[in-house]
Each structure stands twice: as C-alpha cells, then as structure tokens.
Amino acid sequence: MTAEREARPAGAPVRRGRGRRPADEVRAEVLAAAGALLLREGMAAFTIERVAQEAAVSKTTLYKWWPSRGTLALDGYFHAVESTLAFPDTGDIRADLTAQVRAFVRLLAGTSAGRVIAELIGQAQTDPALSAALLERYSGPRRDLAVARLRRAQEQGRLRADADPRILVDQLWGACYHRLLLPNEPLTEEFAARLVDNLLRGVAA
Amino acid sequence: MTAEREARPAGAPVRRGRGRRPADEVRAEVLAAAGALLLREGMAAFTIERVAQEAAVSKTTLYKWWPSRGTLALDGYFHAVESTLAFPDTGDIRADLTAQVRAFVRLLAGTSAGRVIAELIGQAQTDPALSAALLERYSGPRRDLAVARLRRAQEQGRLRADADPRILVDQLWGACYHRLLLPNEPLTEEFAARLVDNLLRGVAA
C-alpha cells in the first residue's frame, strides 16, 4: 500500500488509503481472493504471499486474522462454496435434500472444489492444526446447517422423531466424501438422488 | 541371508536357506511383518528397509513384488485387518451388517488401524500412484466383499431388488470413513448399529 501512495502523481485525487478500508470489507476481499486462488490453482499454489498480493493487503494483516495457510485456505474455500451449498427449505424434505446433495455432488465432481477439499482433508490427516481448523471452520459449520434443516423436517413430522440427524449427515454427505476420497465408484447426480431415496424409504424388502 | 549362512558354526545343522523358502511363504511373512510394523508404529516409521529387516528378506525381493512403499503398506494393512473384517453370512442381513459395521468401527476407533488407514487415504489425495494402489488393493476388494454379501441378501429377498448394493456400501462403511477423516462426531458401535437401522428401515415418518 505504501507503493500505491508513492505512485500517486502530485495533484491527483487522494484515494482513501487501503489501510482505512473497514475491516469487514478487507476481510471479505481477502476471502474472495483466497477462495478464487484456491479453486483456480489448487492447494499447491496456495500461499499467504499469493493471497496478500491478490487481495492487496500485507502479510501482517493476513497473519493477524489467520494463524496459518491452512486456516486461510479453509475460510476461503467455505466462502467460495457457501452460496452454492445453501440449504433450501421448501417444506418438502425429500426434494430439498435431493437438491442439496445433487448440488454438493456437482460441486465436488464438476468443479475444482472437489480436488481442493480432498487435498485439505488429506493433508489434515497428518497435520493436527489443519485438522482442528477443518473441523471448526468447515465441516462443523456445514454439519450444523444440515442438522438444522433435518431437525426442522423432524419438527414438521417428515422424518422419524427417533432418527439422529447427525447420523443422517454421514449417510448423505459423508457417502459423497467417501466416493470423492476413494473413487472406486463415480460421483454422479443419480448417486446423490439414490442416497436420499435409500435413506428415506429404507432398503429392507 | 548371507550373514545368516556365514554365522552358522561349522558342524551345526544345515538350515534350509532362506532363499529356498517357497515364494508364497515368504510373501505371507513379508505381509505379516509389514502389517505388524504399520499397526505398531504407523506410516511415518514404515519403510522398505524396516520391512526387509523384520521379515529377513532383501530389499530387492520386496521391490520385485511391490513397486513402492505405499503398495507394500496397503497389502500389509489389508493382510492385517482381513480376518477382523470378515463378512459373516448367517442368513440374517440385519444382524450380519450390524456385526460387520460394528467390527469395522472397533477396528478404526479402538486400534491403531484407524490412524494408519486415515494417513494412507490422506496421502493418496496428492499421490496418484498411492491412490491407484489404494483403490486396487484395498478399497476395491473391500467393496467387492460387501457388495457380494448385499447381493446375496437381495437374492434371498431381504433387500429391495432395486437398491444398488454399491451405494449401500457408501452409506454404511463410507459413513464410518467420514467420521474417521472428519471427526466432528465420534465413531462408536452405537453409531454403527444406527447406520444399519436407518438404512434398512428408512427414516421418513
């Protein structure tokens, strides 16, 4: 930012210094830059330096908010995919779950997001700090959103009252992660739809 | 093995040279040594050198059968857990699935096997050769065993004929891997039993 101020020719209009941008705005710009970089170039290219450069903030600012490269990557990832993965509530739990799990599969299988989250989960297996960040900043909040939607369906009498929504999360989105991380079988929208159908109807004859 | 021959005192009984052991026997000993080393000390300590030493074979022999450390680790792992993870067939699919998924959860949560397979899956996300070996030597064969048991249940009229056994695998064992790799919620035997119950009965109200 110093460079930018120095570059202003004498007499040019005074731009509000970047240091004066409201913190929320800077934070949102950083997350957008981090998410875009991650989805465009993957974890290998993701460095604090690159994000600082693309968001035009100092590395010091980044480290103030994010203790590590991994936590910044996770927040950037969550920011990038959040809107795609909204949990609809039309009152029809079958349709809403099918739409949500289909959207999740499209994101994992049809965009670079799948590779990115697979690498983050992979790295977390031998990196306790990244693992803690992943649980707290990504999988925990995503679980909570799903559980909230499932609990509403229970309150509306659409799901059995004795079914544990936290377990349903593992049998829907967890099943998708299984095919992402161990791709013996393909991740398709048909798969997504059948996950929901199996779980709602049951498969006993 | 040369060292061993040299160490035989003059006049001592001639042991059959290790080089003469039948290949199947050597292979089984290597797998046992590899599996034991892996479960005892984890992936970080797992090297071709260590396995060669513990199984008393040459590194050349190991490389003849296993192209990499990862493939040897996977075969050793599979060998070590195979008997624990047998697929019972008592004719009662609910009881058999519950027993199998419970045993799987005990293995993942109660022994070092969970950490080992988590690290192997994690590393595979950025190591294409390990990923190929994992699918071919571990998750593929494990899937096939589960699918075979589920298909028998379909033939016996216990599961809906239109349910895809390959998808049920993701909703049972895949759900367990989800809690192993993203441990926001605990991996318990109660969880295992409820996975089976949810899927067989269905959770729609």
Side-chain angles (χ1 to χ4, degrees):
Chain A
M1 44 188 138
T2 321
E4 192 175 301
R5 281 187 191 148
E6 280 164 2
R8 180 168 63 88
V14 177
R15 263 192 70 177
R16 194 174 59 166
R18 283 190 178 271
R20 311 265 299 277
R21 286 183 295 175
D24 280 1
E25 192 184 296
V26 176
R27 206 183 143 82
E29 281 178 30
V30 169
L31 289 176
L37 174 62
L38 203 55
L39 295 192
R40 202 172 60 238
E41 305 188 25
M43 256 319 259
F46 189 89
T47 60
I48 294 274
E49 285 74 12
R50 284 288 304 277
V51 178
Q53 195 182 343
E54 306 221 351
V57 298
S58 69
K59 290 205 290 176
T60 312
T61 301
L62 293 186
Y63 279 116
K64 205 169 62 190
W65 285 329
W66 292 277
S68 66
R69 165 180 177 264
T71 53
L72 177 54
L74 283 164
D75 285 1
Y77 182 81
F78 196 77
H79 182 86
V81 304
E82 204 169 8
S83 63
T84 315
L85 298 181
F87 277 80
D89 188 351
T90 67
D92 178 345
I93 187 65
R94 170 182 289 268
D96 288 356
L97 285 179
T98 305
Q100 216 290 335
V101 184
R102 272 180 189 272
F104 184 55
V105 162
R106 274 197 303 273
L107 181 81
L108 293 185
T111 78
S112 52
R115 197 74 329 258
V116 168
I117 193 68
E119 288 181 18
L120 284 165
I121 295 172
Q123 225 173 291
Q125 302 313 312
T126 46
D127 179 340
L130 181 62
S131 176
L134 182 61
L135 300 191
E136 190 191 309
R137 291 166 187 251
Y138 179 69
S139 57
R142 293 267 309 133
R143 265 192 176 275
D144 292 345
L145 290 169
V147 166
R149 179 66 190 90
L150 293 163
R151 284 207 205 288
R152 275 199 303 281
Q154 277 182 316
E155 286 157 15
Q156 292 159 356
R158 310 290 185 188
L159 294 180
R160 282 202 281 114
D162 65 342
D164 183 341
R166 292 169 303 180
I167 296 178
L168 307 188
V169 170
D170 298 295
Q171 295 189 284
L172 296 173
W173 295 274
C176 298
Y177 280 116
H178 187 230
R179 290 203 173 187
L180 175 74
L181 298 167
L182 291 171
N184 290 93
E185 298 286 344
L187 252 177
T188 63
E189 291 193 48
E190 166 70 12
F191 170 70
R194 298 196 65 170
L195 290 175
V196 176
D197 187 61
N198 286 345
L199 197 56
L200 290 180
R201 284 170 68 197
V203 300
Chain B
M1 44 189 136
T2 319
E4 191 175 299
R5 281 186 190 149
E6 280 163 2
R8 180 168 64 87
V14 178
R15 260 193 72 178
R16 196 174 56 162
R18 282 188 180 272
R20 309 266 299 277
R21 287 183 296 176
D24 279 2
E25 192 184 296
V26 177
R27 205 183 144 83
E29 281 179 30
V30 169
L31 289 176
L37 173 61
L38 203 54
L39 295 192
R40 201 172 60 239
E41 304 188 26
M43 254 321 258
F46 189 88
T47 60
I48 294 274
E49 285 73 13
R50 285 288 304 278
V51 178
Q53 195 182 344
E54 307 221 350
V57 297
S58 69
K59 289 205 290 176
T60 312
T61 301
L62 293 185
Y63 279 117
K64 203 170 64 190
W65 286 328
W66 292 278
S68 66
R69 167 180 177 262
T71 54
L72 178 53
L74 283 164
D75 285 1
Y77 182 81
F78 196 76
H79 182 85
V81 303
E82 204 169 8
S83 62
T84 315
L85 297 181
F87 278 81
D89 188 351
T90 67
D92 178 344
I93 186 66
R94 171 182 290 266
D96 289 355
L97 285 180
T98 304
Q100 215 291 336
V101 183
R102 271 181 190 272
F104 184 55
V105 161
R106 275 198 302 274
L107 180 81
L108 293 185
T111 78
S112 53
R115 197 75 325 262
V116 169
I117 193 68
E119 288 181 16
L120 283 165
I121 296 172
Q123 225 173 292
Q125 303 312 312
T126 46
D127 179 339
L130 182 62
S131 176
L134 182 61
L135 300 191
E136 190 191 308
R137 291 166 186 251
Y138 178 69
S139 56
R142 293 266 310 132
R143 265 192 175 273
D144 292 345
L145 290 169
V147 166
R149 179 67 190 90
L150 293 164
R151 284 206 205 289
R152 276 198 302 281
Q154 277 182 317
E155 286 156 15
Q156 293 159 355
R158 310 290 185 189
L159 295 180
R160 283 202 280 115
D162 65 341
D164 182 343
R166 293 168 302 179
I167 297 179
L168 307 188
V169 170
D170 299 295
Q171 295 189 284
L172 295 174
W173 296 274
C176 297
Y177 280 116
H178 188 230
R179 290 204 173 187
L180 174 73
L181 298 168
L182 292 171
N184 291 92
E185 297 286 343
L187 252 177
T188 63
E189 291 193 48
E190 165 70 11
F191 171 69
R194 298 197 65 170
L195 289 175
V196 175
D197 187 60
N198 285 345
L199 196 55
L200 290 180
R201 284 171 67 198
V203 299

